[in-house]
Amino acid sequence: MIGQRIRRCVLAAIVCAPSYVVTLAHAQSDPLPSWNDGPANATIVEFVAKVTKKGSPDFVPPAERIAVFDNDGTLWAEQPMYFQLFFALDRVQALAPQHPEWKEKEPFASLLQNDVKRALAGGEHAMLEIVMATHAGMTTEEFEQIVKDWLATAKHPKTRRPYTEMVYQPMLELLAYLRANGFKTFIVSGGGIEFMRLWAEKVYGVPPEQVIGSSIKTKFEVRDGKPVLVRLLELNFIDDKAGKPDGINSHIGRRPIAAFGNSDGDFEMLEWTTSGSSPRLSLIVHHDDGEREFAYDRKSPFGKLDRALDEAPQRGWTVVSMKHDWKRIFPWQRP
Amino acid sequence: MIGQRIRRCVLAAIVCAPSYVVTLAHAQSDPLPSWNDGPANATIVEFVAKVTKKGSPDFVPPAERIAVFDNDGTLWAEQPMYFQLFFALDRVQALAPQHPEWKEKEPFASLLQNDVKRALAGGEHAMLEIVMATHAGMTTEEFEQIVKDWLATAKHPKTRRPYTEMVYQPMLELLAYLRANGFKTFIVSGGGIEFMRLWAEKVYGVPPEQVIGSSIKTKFEVRDGKPVLVRLLELNFIDDKAGKPDGINSHIGRRPIAAFGNSDGDFEMLEWTTSGSSPRLSLIVHHDDGEREFAYDRKSPFGKLDRALDEAPQRGWTVVSMKHDWKRIFPWQRP
């Protein structure tokens, strides 16, 4: 009876899942076709087998199979800079006519002269000014429309592809493979929560309620009888570094058993995940493929990977070489 | 093929659900056995039929079937005062030996003399002092243990039942009925998020990641090599009144199509839910049964229902009379 019930549930997980999962699940001989044979692939498959095997001491009930994924540099690219920053810069250009004062005011003055490097020289403060000027002051519905319109036309400066096509095929397979095995997949990113939610379901199969990110405060108001949430000029939460375990606790309320990142910004999330006593899977995507993608780590201003790379071996974190472990990077590249 | 797939998914939802759901689902002739026949029952069943009927103009895809439930007074009782306040008062007694200064300091001095009314006369400020003194200063894991220990022994002052048995049987059926129809059920409560998460899954079938509540800030620290989250003496979010749509937006990221509350604290949540254009279900539990539960509304210090009761008819919100619409209130009462 129990065996039958489990089989029925597994069957249901496959049948009721989005069509690409079904396609994947049919190819049961290789659940991760874009991953080369090697230790990273083996570590993932062994972990999933272990925690899903009923009766095994390492068995984890489906409700506790929580997997968290960083976004920038882990699920989609982050070079030459975070894609959300391209959005913000495009918005500065679009909004400039309403802000004549920007011509004299940094970081906007440099941006309007297309000198991004000088604009960002002001560091976090400059970044925050740009984000606030472009992400606040409208309702959540208005913001949604602005992001959707941008996504429909914006192109990555190097590949000329829409940003939502700059996603990593092996990670799409990993997301689907985990879900087919009863995992609930979450995004835990420093990116804006309301920015990511607009495309994460379509692109990754991750619904809005499973997206965790940085946020600004919102305020409920009734305007002409219609309730709205207004995006305020006030930071609410930065979902990066030590903020990630905090965001995980606040949104999920239980500790993940699997975590996937690519930078030192993910260190605490991996640390938090692996400090549990049962089996854990932690994985770092290492950007070492300058030919098919970008090669960067210790010195990159975006996605700096230094301490986590040094400590990965002693902490039992698997480092994935994009060059050696992945047959292809993007869905539109030939394997 | 599609029909077969849906049937298989419904079957799976039933087979894979907790056992009390299975029991319920078998009685398919009446999905809400503790609800009397009447307009409230009919409104619920008609709404569910409408949004789940494939091909109908009112069909809502499962991913968008979000239902939000207030907790205090909607899923479990809230008289003679919020149960979490009983927890806080018990903690004040337990912690008093470590705080000799409380003997001279309000609101603690009155509490230690068992004069709750005088202690709470200080209003929100007094309440906040009590909550902070009892809910902060420990790690999330320590807090979890404290709450679990308390729940194991604490009893409701009137019924002498554990607080987790003070839940409304008709609402348990409603939660299960919605889930069996593809809804994702969330709690959206003014209560503490980390307090509710510890028992919401077992009692309501609502997993931690679908519980939204008020919170204090936490801080990530590494103590003796072990990462912890420390609960700080600082409010993070009040999930009440206009905070509820905000909490819904922040945690769920899409607008619910069904909302259930019992007080003016739920007004904005119901308003936010019903302002969408597609079919919506909003329901207010009215505590009018002094015999089987408690009778209160416009003047109650806990769960005040005034404006929402007045405006329910014009806003299309269904008012449920506990006295007339429910065959029984608690699971342990005979129908």
Side-chain angles (χ1 to χ4, degrees), chain A residues 5 8-9 11-12 15-17 63 66 140-141 184 186 193-194 197 201 207-210 218 220 222 227-229 242 245-246 249-255 268 271-272 275, chain B residues 5 8-9 11-12 15-17 63 66 140-141 184 186 193-194 197 201 207-210 218 220 222 227-229 242 245-246 249-255 268 271-272 275:
Chain A
R5 181 166 156 183
R8 227 181 292 170
C9 296
L11 183 72
V15 175
C16 307
I66 304 288
T140 51
E141 283 175 333
K184 211 164 182 174
F186 288 82
I193 189 167
E194 301 220 44
R197 277 172 166 167
E201 188 159 34
E209 61 270 26
Q210 286 161 226
T218 60
F220 179 86
V222 180
V228 294
L229 287 167
D246 197 5
N249 186 58
S250 140
H251 281 259
I252 310 179
R254 47 184 150 204
R255 202 181 295 230
E268 288 83 356
E271 190 179 22
W272 178 245
S275 66
Chain B
R5 181 166 157 182
R8 227 181 293 170
C9 297
L11 183 72
V15 175
C16 308
I66 303 289
T140 50
E141 284 175 334
K184 212 165 184 174
F186 288 80
I193 189 167
E194 302 220 43
R197 277 172 167 167
E201 189 160 32
E209 63 269 26
Q210 285 160 226
T218 61
F220 179 86
V222 180
V228 294
L229 286 169
D246 197 3
N249 185 57
S250 141
H251 281 259
I252 309 179
R254 46 185 149 204
R255 201 180 295 228
E268 288 84 354
E271 189 178 22
W272 179 244
S275 65

Side-chain angles (χ1 to χ4, degrees), chain A residues 201-278:
Chain A
E201 188 159 34
K202 195 176 161 198
V203 175
Y204 302 136
V206 176
E209 61 270 26
Q210 286 161 226
V211 175
I212 305 167
S214 299
S215 57
I216 57 177
K217 287 193 192 294
T218 60
K219 186 174 179 293
F220 179 86
E221 272 181 25
V222 180
R223 290 184 174 174
D224 301 326
K226 190 177 174 280
V228 294
L229 287 167
V230 182
R231 295 171 57 81
L232 304 179
L233 273 165
E234 191 182 346
L235 267 181
N236 178 53
F237 180 62
I238 301 287
D239 191 40
D240 196 30
K241 302 188 178 70
K244 289 201 175 193
D246 197 5
I248 288 170
N249 186 58
S250 140
H251 281 259
I252 310 179
R254 47 184 150 204
R255 202 181 295 230
I257 63 166
F260 307 89
N262 78 297
S263 80
D264 283 358
D266 303 312
F267 193 97
E268 288 83 356
M269 175 169 84
L270 270 60
E271 190 179 22
W272 178 245
T273 299
T274 50
S275 66
S277 55
S278 62

Side-chain angles (χ1 to χ4, degrees), chain B residues 4-255:
Chain B
Q4 195 186 4
R5 181 166 157 182
I6 293 166
R7 274 194 301 278
R8 227 181 293 170
C9 297
V10 170
L11 183 72
I14 294 165
V15 175
C16 308
S19 56
Y20 60 87
V21 182
V22 177
T23 314
L24 176 69
H26 280 183
Q28 282 190 357
S29 52
D30 186 0
L32 300 170
S34 299
W35 292 69
N36 284 314
D37 289 339
N41 188 336
T43 301
I44 295 168
V45 173
E46 277 161 24
F47 171 78
V48 170
K50 195 157 58 177
V51 298
T52 56
K53 192 182 170 189
K54 203 124 187 181
S56 136
D58 293 328
F59 178 78
V60 176
E64 292 167 26
R65 292 182 203 156
I66 303 289
V68 288
F69 290 79
D70 169 57
N71 183 45
D72 297 301
T74 299
L75 294 179
W76 77 355
E78 62 184 349
Q79 298 294 351
M81 64 179 177
Y82 298 135
F83 297 172
Q84 195 174 349
L85 212 42
F86 282 114
F87 164 74
L89 302 193
D90 286 350
R91 289 302 296 159
V92 167
Q93 302 287 349
L95 293 169
Q98 300 162 43
H99 293 277
E101 77 280 10
W102 282 356
K103 278 187 196 138
E104 315 288 330
K105 195 187 166 195
E106 290 297 353
F108 306 101
S110 295
L111 283 186
L112 294 174
Q113 289 160 27
N114 286 313
D115 191 342
V116 176
K117 205 173 165 185
R118 204 172 96 206
L120 297 183
E124 277 192 16
H125 180 74
M127 200 106 88
L128 196 61
E129 282 232 44
I130 295 166
V131 168
M132 284 302 179
T134 53
H135 287 66
M138 69 291 277
T139 69
T140 50
E141 284 175 334
E142 287 161 355
F143 181 70
E144 188 175 322
Q145 196 54 52
I146 292 167
V147 175
K148 280 184 176 169
D149 291 346
W150 179 79
L151 281 175
T153 57
K155 299 272 194 299
H156 188 271
K158 186 179 162 192
T159 66
R160 307 310 300 164
R161 296 265 173 180
Y163 288 105
T164 48
E165 290 183 13
M166 297 295 292
V167 296
Y168 303 135
Q169 176 63 25
M171 296 306 283
L172 296 181
E173 293 167 8
L174 180 53
L175 280 163
Y177 173 56
L178 290 174
R179 286 195 293 261
N181 280 282
F183 280 76
K184 212 165 184 174
T185 52
F186 288 80
I187 291 173
V188 179
S189 166
I193 189 167
E194 302 220 43
F195 179 83
M196 295 184 287
R197 277 172 167 167
L198 297 172
W199 47 270
E201 189 160 32
K202 195 175 159 199
V203 176
Y204 302 136
V206 176
E209 63 269 26
Q210 285 160 226
V211 176
I212 305 167
S214 298
S215 58
I216 57 178
K217 287 193 191 292
T218 61
K219 186 175 179 294
F220 179 86
E221 272 180 26
V222 180
R223 290 183 175 176
D224 302 326
K226 188 177 175 283
V228 294
L229 286 169
V230 182
R231 294 170 58 81
L232 305 179
L233 274 164
E234 193 182 342
L235 268 181
N236 180 53
F237 179 63
I238 301 286
D239 191 40
D240 196 28
K241 300 187 177 77
K244 290 202 173 193
D246 197 3
I248 289 170
N249 185 57
S250 141
H251 281 259
I252 309 179
R254 46 185 149 204
R255 201 180 295 228

